Amino acid sequence: VALEKMLSLSNSYPHPAVKRYEFKGTVKATALANVSLELFEKVILNFASGTRMRSYTDFDGVTMIRLNRQGQESQAVSLIRNSTGENGVCVVDLESESHKKIRDKPTDSPEYICILGINEHHISPKKRHVTASVPSSALLFREVALDETGKDKTDFSRSMSALKLAKPSVFSRSFGAVMFVSRSSRRFFAYNWNPQILATAITRFKEIEEEALQSEKHLLHQQTT
C-alpha cells in the first residue's frame, strides 16, 4: 500500500527517527486478528504509554484497517476481545451502519494495519482532555530544532523563532507506530522512539511472534497425527 511505501522510503533515506522491523513466518488467516491485537496492545501501546493500558480504545490516536487482499478493499475496523469466536477476538466493521462482524475464513488472505499517532500534549477532540499521552522519556526527539545561534538570520528564520516562542506545541515531535500483519509476515515501523525503549519493545514483539508461530506448529502437528 502507499502508506508502507512512504514509510519504507523514510527508513531507507535514512531518517534517524524511522526504524523498520520485519518478522516472517506463516500464521493462519483466522488467527491474524488475535495476533494483531496482541502485538499492538502488549507491545506498542504498553511501551508508548509507559503504563499498562486496559485497551487500545484508551488512545484517541489509533486507527485499525483491514485490507482484503482478494478484493483489494479496505475497511476501518475495531478489534474487540470477547469470550466467543476463535481466539476471543471479534472484528467489527466500523463503516457499515450496523457495525457488522467480520469473520476471517481459513481461505482468506487479509492484512491488518494498526496505526498509532500521539504526542505529549495529545488532546481528545471529543472529550477535550488528555486521555492518553506518551511520556517524554519515550521520545527520541522532543521537538523540531531551529538554528537560533546563527548571525545571518533570514526573515523566515526569525518568523519561525517567533512562532516557536508563541506556540511551542506546534514544534513538538509526535510519537508513532504502524504495524502490518499478514499471513506471511509482520512489519513494524516505529517513529521517534527512544532507542532503549524500542529495543525492549522489539524483544517483546519477538516473544509474542514466536508464541504465535509455535502455536501454529502445534496445531499443525495435531492435525497431522
Side-chain angles (χ1 to χ4, degrees):
V1 295
L3 175 61
E4 185 171 9
K5 289 181 180 178
M6 179 181 68
L7 292 170
S8 296
L9 286 173
S10 298
N11 178 66
S12 59
Y13 182 66
H15 190 296
V18 179
K19 300 296 180 183
R20 180 184 186 275
Y21 300 88
E22 182 172 7
F23 306 90
K24 293 189 175 182
T26 302
V27 175
K28 63 182 180 180
T30 53
L32 285 180
N34 183 70
V35 171
S36 299
L37 192 57
E38 285 285 298
L39 289 171
F40 196 69
E41 287 190 339
K42 293 184 178 181
V43 177
I44 296 176
L45 294 190
N46 278 350
F47 287 96
S49 65
T51 58
R52 185 171 295 277
M53 308 300 292
R54 295 188 302 273
S55 167
Y56 75 85
T57 56
D58 291 337
F59 281 83
D60 290 307
V62 173
T63 300
M64 297 280 193
I65 299 171
R66 180 184 183 273
L67 180 65
N68 183 346
R69 286 298 188 184
Q70 294 177 338
Q72 292 297 308
E73 297 179 352
S74 61
Q75 301 158 295
V77 298
S78 179
L79 303 182
I80 303 173
R81 296 188 187 278
N82 59 21
S83 58
T84 62
E86 185 162 356
N87 295 315
V89 173
C90 177
V91 183
V92 178
D93 181 1
L94 298 179
E95 297 180 4
S96 66
E97 292 185 2
S98 60
H99 284 190
K100 67 178 181 180
K101 296 179 181 179
I102 301 173
R103 184 186 297 272
D104 289 325
K105 299 185 291 294
T107 55
D108 288 341
S109 186
E111 180 171 26
Y112 287 92
I113 305 173
C114 308
I115 304 169
L116 169 69
I118 200 168
N119 59 38
E120 284 187 275
H121 312 288
H122 183 71
I123 304 286
S124 167
K126 297 179 181 179
K127 302 175 184 178
R128 302 308 302 169
H129 64 84
V130 178
T131 56
S133 61
V134 56
S136 59
S137 59
L139 301 175
L140 176 60
F141 302 112
R142 291 196 60 179
E143 61 181 20
V144 177
L146 299 177
D147 183 6
E148 300 177 305
T149 60
K151 296 181 179 179
D152 300 324
K153 280 193 173 184
T154 64
D155 289 340
F156 176 76
S157 63
R158 282 192 289 269
S159 297
M160 294 300 290
S161 296
L163 178 60
K164 185 176 182 180
L165 184 63
K167 296 185 177 181
S169 62
V170 175
F171 292 81
S172 64
R173 291 271 191 174
S174 60
F175 178 98
V178 181
M179 184 175 66
F180 300 83
V181 179
S182 67
R183 294 178 66 175
S184 60
S185 68
R186 273 59 60 199
R187 284 104 60 206
F188 171 43
F189 289 86
Y191 172 72
N192 204 28
W193 286 54
N194 177 298
Q196 287 76 27
I197 292 177
L198 181 58
T200 306
I202 291 302
T203 297
R204 182 62 181 135
F205 198 109
K206 290 178 179 178
E207 292 172 353
I208 296 176
E209 170 80 3
E210 185 60 29
E211 290 171 5
L213 295 179
Q214 288 299 325
S215 177
E216 289 294 305
K217 291 179 181 179
H218 180 68
L219 289 174
L220 181 61
H221 178 72
Q222 287 183 326
Q223 294 171 357
T224 55
T225 55

